[in-house]
């Protein structure tokens, strides 16, 4: 059964007819055409679909859209402003944290969630925050370095 759901997506309140069993990833990628959120494993194991719900990382493939009614959902599309990359996106670009790019949106959203609650995380905290995000292209060294660069941790070390 579809009901009108009021959800704030990337800073804009929306009211859409959403079925009770619609997954958040299908709502974002379907009617909203926010295709930056990637659909990976469909089982919550790869983290490619990570978005922020009220500032906290959440897997869109394991979340019903109805459960985020009244919440603020942020996708990777919220990170750039006026065509300019966010500092985190810029760091991923400059430090080669993005390989094929498939996992990158989820990595960036998980890292964004971390940096909001801990603006100066150490390497262990970064690795723990990204622990649910899998990269099949490379190791995690460049990804961790990218997060460190975004928060200035490299310069402090």
């Amino acid at each position: 059964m579809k009901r009108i759901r009021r959800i704030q997506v990337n800073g804009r309140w929306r009211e859409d007819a959403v079925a009770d069993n619609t997954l958040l990833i299908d709502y974002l990628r379907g009617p909203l055409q926010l295709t930056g959120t990637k659909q990976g494993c469909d089982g919550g194991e790869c983290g490619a679909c990570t978005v922020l719900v009220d500032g906290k990382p959440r897997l869109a493939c394991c979340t019903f859209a109805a459960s985020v009614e009244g919440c603020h959902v942020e996708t990777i599309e919220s990170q750039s402003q006026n065509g300019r990359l966010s500092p985190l996106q810029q760091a991923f670009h400059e430090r080669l944290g993005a390989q094929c790019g498939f996992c990158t949106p989820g990595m960036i959203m998980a890292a964004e969630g971390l940096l909001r609650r801990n603006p100066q995380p150490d390497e262990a905290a970064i690795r723990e925050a990204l622990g649910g995000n899998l990269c099949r292209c490379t190791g995690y060294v460049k990804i961790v370095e990218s997060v460190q660069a975004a928060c200035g941790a490299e310069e402090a070390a």
Side-chain angles (χ1 to χ4, degrees):
M1 175 178 184
K2 285 188 175 183
R3 296 183 188 163
I4 300 298
R5 309 284 180 184
R6 191 166 190 266
I7 303 170
Q8 188 182 52
V9 179
N10 295 337
R12 182 175 153 229
W13 283 102
R14 303 187 49 94
E15 291 185 0
D16 295 304
V18 179
D20 293 344
N21 63 352
T22 298
L23 292 172
L24 181 56
I25 193 165
D26 294 329
Y27 172 65
L28 296 171
R29 291 182 58 84
L32 302 190
Q33 295 293 301
L34 295 171
T35 57
T37 302
K38 301 302 183 209
Q39 191 165 13
C41 66
D42 287 332
E45 295 177 12
C46 74
C49 65
T50 303
V51 297
L52 298 181
V53 176
D54 291 337
K56 297 178 183 170
R58 196 134 153 206
L59 300 173
C61 76
C62 298
T63 301
F64 287 118
S67 73
V68 299
E69 185 170 10
C71 296
H72 180 199
V73 176
E74 296 170 78
T75 68
I76 190 67
E77 286 87 351
S78 70
Q79 293 295 296
S80 63
Q81 299 294 322
N82 300 321
R84 301 183 77 181
L85 298 177
S86 72
L88 195 52
Q89 289 174 306
Q90 189 66 36
F92 267 72
H93 173 69
E94 291 173 357
R95 301 298 175 129
L96 305 176
Q99 296 296 308
C100 79
F102 195 81
C103 71
T104 303
M107 293 277 187
I108 289 175
M109 296 311 288
E112 178 69 23
L114 168 65
L115 296 179
R116 286 186 188 178
R117 60 180 193 278
N118 180 3
Q120 296 296 318
D122 61 17
E123 183 177 337
I126 294 169
R127 288 186 180 275
E128 182 177 333
L130 299 179
N133 296 75
L134 300 178
C135 172
R136 293 179 173 94
C137 294
T138 185
Y140 295 85
V141 172
K142 295 294 184 188
I143 293 167
V144 171
E145 287 176 0
S146 298
V147 178
Q148 290 173 318
C151 64
E154 282 184 331
E155 296 153 11

